[in-house]
Amino acid sequence: MSIEVVPGLYCEEECVVEEAHTAKHVGSGDVQVLSTPSMIAFMEKTALKCVEKHLPQEYTTVGTMVNIRHLNPAPKGAKVKVSAKLITVEGKRLLFEVKAYWGTITLGEGTHERFIVNRERFIEKVRSLINQQQ
């Protein structure tokens, strides 16, 4: 596996808070603001997109850890900027610093870990685990 992923890689994405992203909709609260699970999903998506263009086609990354603080709310309709900066590469382990902003307001920040996996081998592992459960 020849992969050119190095610390310092940085990406930003813009996400709009839709009904499906609100705490009331996902069941993590009862107000129409960006839910913590949705903010984390935005962060994971940004980290995935940041590194996927540097991987061979048969590889992807999977999220394995999040350590996120949700600091401020954002209303439905808000345009949220999400950033992911690769800070550590240890073999197949990638650690990102992730942040979410609504204008100048920091909504959340923390770290997110992903692992590089061969897509087919990973799916085969899932199949094996399914068979173990039957």
Side-chain angles (χ1 to χ4, degrees):
M1 168 175 80
S2 175
I3 297 177
E4 300 296 323
V5 180
V6 295
L9 187 63
Y10 180 85
C11 295
E12 289 183 350
E13 294 283 322
E14 186 174 274
C15 306
V16 176
V17 179
E18 298 175 0
E19 175 69 27
H21 305 125
T22 66
K24 187 171 186 174
H25 182 83
V26 302
S28 66
D30 64 0
V31 289
Q32 296 279 15
V33 297
L34 176 63
S35 70
T36 302
S38 295
M39 181 184 70
I40 290 170
F42 290 164
M43 291 169 165
E44 286 201 64
K45 177 183 169 189
T46 302
L48 168 66
K49 288 178 79 173
C50 194
V51 74
E52 72 182 353
K53 59 188 163 228
H54 299 280
L55 300 176
Q57 187 174 2
E58 65 272 19
Y59 288 86
T60 188
T61 62
V62 293
T64 55
M65 185 273 300
V66 290
N67 183 8
I68 306 298
R69 294 178 60 220
H70 197 160
L71 304 168
N72 286 294
K76 187 170 83 169
K79 290 182 181 176
V80 175
K81 181 175 78 171
V82 181
S83 67
K85 180 180 180 183
L86 183 57
I87 56 175
T88 304
V89 177
E90 294 173 348
K92 296 180 182 182
R93 178 183 173 269
L94 309 174
L95 185 64
F96 291 86
E97 176 183 81
V98 290
K99 296 181 181 181
Y101 298 94
W102 174 37
T104 60
I105 300 167
T106 302
L107 301 176
E109 61 188 10
T111 56
H112 172 47
E113 179 183 81
R114 301 188 71 79
F115 270 80
I116 299 170
V117 297
N118 176 286
R119 190 177 282 106
E120 270 307 308
R121 279 186 269 185
F122 188 79
I123 291 170
E124 188 53 43
K125 180 179 180 179
V126 173
R127 287 185 190 121
S128 174
L129 293 171
I130 290 169
N131 290 336
Q132 288 179 25
Q133 294 299 313
Q134 295 176 349

